[in-house]
Amino acid sequence: QVQLVESGGGLVQPGGSLRLSCAATASGSIGSIGLMAWYRQAPGKERELVAHITAGSTTTNADSVKGRFTISRDNAKNAVYLQMNSLTPEDTAVYYCNAGPYNSASANRRYGMDYWGKGTLVTVSS
């Protein structure tokens, strides 16, 4: 399986920046990690995809964060990062790290290899 641990959340003022990190540990039948992603869930809202990145560092961002957030990864460290700039109160949410051995989220979920961290809280407020 894959164990994921997020860090870097906290309180930040509007317009500020924050960098989230997620450290992954793979074991058992999983030898390497394919797709990694950040999701978030704001109070009273459904969980939504923020950004995802393949093992080859191809990225996709949600429209709501394009131009402000950047996802990146370090395969040697099995880590994924989310640089968040120009933060607004609407970005307040619990941010979750997600990963699996395939570069497809649907494949990871279909084969029961979809793993999640416990989340880190980001609060954007004055």
Side-chain angles (χ1 to χ4, degrees), residues 7-93:
S7 63
L11 176 65
V12 64
Q13 294 184 356
S17 297
L18 211 59
R19 183 177 174 85
L20 304 183
S21 298
C22 174
T25 302
S27 62
S29 62
I30 300 176
S32 62
I33 298 172
L35 194 72
M36 302 188 82
W38 288 97
Y39 288 77
R40 68 185 182 186
Q41 186 165 17
K45 295 185 177 181
E46 296 291 320
R47 182 189 65 184
E48 65 174 349
L49 175 68
V50 177
H52 64 61
I53 183 168
T54 69
S57 294
T58 298
T59 64
T60 299
N61 288 355
D63 288 342
S64 60
V65 306
K66 285 181 179 177
R68 300 190 298 120
F69 291 10
T70 301
I71 188 171
S72 62
R73 66 190 289 163
D74 185 336
N75 290 334
K77 296 181 179 180
N78 276 341
V80 63
Y81 310 96
L82 186 68
Q83 179 65 47
M84 305 184 293
N85 299 324
S86 301
L87 286 162
T88 74
E90 289 69 41
D91 295 314
T92 296

Side-chain angles (χ1 to χ4, degrees), residues 1-6 22-26 30 32-39 47 49 51-55 71 73 75 78-81 96-118:
Q1 64 177 41
V2 178
Q3 292 186 316
L4 304 169
V5 180
E6 303 98 334
C22 174
T25 302
I30 300 176
S32 62
I33 298 172
L35 194 72
M36 302 188 82
W38 288 97
Y39 288 77
R47 182 189 65 184
L49 175 68
H52 64 61
I53 183 168
T54 69
I71 188 171
R73 66 190 289 163
N75 290 334
N78 276 341
V80 63
Y81 310 96
Y96 297 92
C97 182
N98 172 243
Y102 299 97
N103 274 313
S104 162
S106 61
N108 287 327
R109 291 161 190 169
R110 179 165 58 251
Y111 294 107
M113 298 180 181
D114 186 43
Y115 301 94
W116 296 86
K118 296 185 183 299

